[in-house]
Amino acid sequence: MSNIVNPLIEEYIRNTICKNEGLLKEMEEYALENHVPIVQPEVSKLLEVITKIQGAKDILEVGTAIGYSAIIFCQSSDGGKVTTIERRADMIEKAQTYIATAGLSSSINILQGSAEEVLPSLEGTYDLIFLDAAKGQYMEFLASCIHLLKPGGVLISDNVLYKGMVASNEYVIRRKKTIVKRMRTYLDYIMENPKLVSCLLPIGDGVAISYKNKEA
Ligand SMILES: C[S@@+](CC[C@H](N)C(=O)[O-])C[C@H]1O[C@@H](n2cnc3c(N)ncnc32)[C@H](O)[C@@H]1O
């Protein structure tokens, strides 16, 4: 459990969500067996809903892993394109296989490399950006993400409450202190940045949603 939501409530919410079948189910099982962190079911639903509300067609993801959330974005976007960044070659290989099985190879483009290097090299703008990579680096990625987001676009940042540690020192494990400190700085920054309107949601491992003001 996440330390973020009362386990009873979390279980109730999860049980309201229809279980995936086919490829997504297979990917969930692979992720569980191989300890690959993919979005939790309630976060996956949130991504789907926001993609549809936003009518997002150009989507950028930082942190592909095996391609699970990239496939969800693509399938929710009604013909949209997903660009996703991943530094690990083994993850990319697996993601490519799953994406091909989903028939989405022409809609999902994986860029191999470290996000800190890839993000500043990107051109164009995006309706939606999903930040789901190394938690200690979010602040490093933020300037590029704001720059790459269209006015009226949405930035979704995952794992921002990090097992509750970001909210309370009571939960902080000594070796995670730096990541927690960095994440608190990140959250202060997105909450106070005049270009963004942001809110924090206590679901999954904590999700921040930021809207880029049209006049930004
Ligand atoms: C939480 S997983 C992504 C899960 C995926 N978004 C999903 O829900 O299906 C994070 C991934 O980000 C990658 N990653 C972490 N830091 C990165 C960086 N600085 N640049 C590129 N990839 C990074 C990791 O290798 C890992 O595969």
Side-chain angles (χ1 to χ4, degrees):
M1 286 293 156
S2 60
N3 262 344
I4 288 167
V5 181
N6 176 330
L8 266 178
I9 308 281
E10 192 166 85
E11 194 186 341
Y12 174 77
I13 291 174
R14 280 199 187 166
N15 284 335
T16 65
I17 298 170
C18 296
K19 303 272 176 290
N20 285 315
E21 294 295 332
L23 182 68
L24 289 175
K25 184 177 175 203
E26 190 189 316
M27 293 176 80
E28 288 160 11
E29 287 166 357
Y30 177 89
L32 191 66
E33 276 164 30
N34 295 280
H35 311 287
V36 179
I38 59 169
V39 284
Q40 297 173 21
E42 57 278 19
V43 177
S44 163
K45 272 288 154 204
L46 179 73
L47 300 183
E48 223 180 301
V49 170
I50 294 179
T51 305
K52 286 178 184 291
I53 291 175
Q54 180 74 355
K57 294 279 179 254
D58 296 306
I59 298 166
L60 175 66
E61 173 180 72
V62 185
T64 317
I66 57 170
Y68 182 80
S69 50
I71 290 176
I72 285 165
F73 278 124
C74 199
Q75 289 178 338
S76 311
S77 71
D78 196 18
K81 300 273 182 210
V82 179
T83 301
T84 178
I85 306 168
E86 173 59 55
R87 63 184 172 194
R88 279 179 54 179
D90 58 334
M91 288 290 172
I92 292 177
E93 201 183 325
K94 198 74 196 160
Q96 269 162 346
T97 306
Y98 282 131
I99 289 165
T101 307
L104 296 173
S105 299
S106 57
S107 304
I108 301 178
N109 182 23
I110 306 180
L111 303 176
Q112 180 166 10
S114 296
E116 52 276 33
E117 285 166 18
V118 176
L119 282 170
S121 73
L122 293 179
E123 286 169 4
T125 50
Y126 297 87
D127 303 305
L128 197 160
I129 300 180
F130 182 46
L131 204 43
D132 191 20
K135 288 173 273 294
Q137 288 187 292
Y138 280 16
M139 199 59 210
E140 226 178 301
F141 304 148
L142 186 61
S144 292
C145 287
I146 295 177
H147 176 70
L148 291 165
L149 203 56
K150 287 179 191 166
V154 173
L155 169 67
I156 306 173
S157 316
D158 199 14
N159 307 110
V160 294
L161 295 175
Y162 197 16
K163 300 182 190 346
M165 288 189 274
V166 172
S168 170
N169 283 337
E170 191 189 327
Y171 297 126
V172 177
I173 304 167
R174 205 186 176 83
R175 66 192 157 82
K176 302 290 183 189
K177 265 186 170 173
T178 306
I179 296 181
V180 169
K181 202 171 156 207
R182 286 182 183 167
M183 189 57 89
R184 286 178 181 158
T185 304
Y186 176 77
L187 293 181
D188 287 345
Y189 195 86
I190 59 168
M191 295 307 285
E192 288 165 14
N193 191 314
K195 289 183 179 164
L196 304 173
V197 179
S198 301
C199 68
L200 304 183
L201 299 181
I203 69 164
D205 197 22
V207 177
I209 302 180
S210 307
Y211 170 85
K212 181 172 170 180
N213 287 319
K214 294 218 162 110
E215 64 279 13

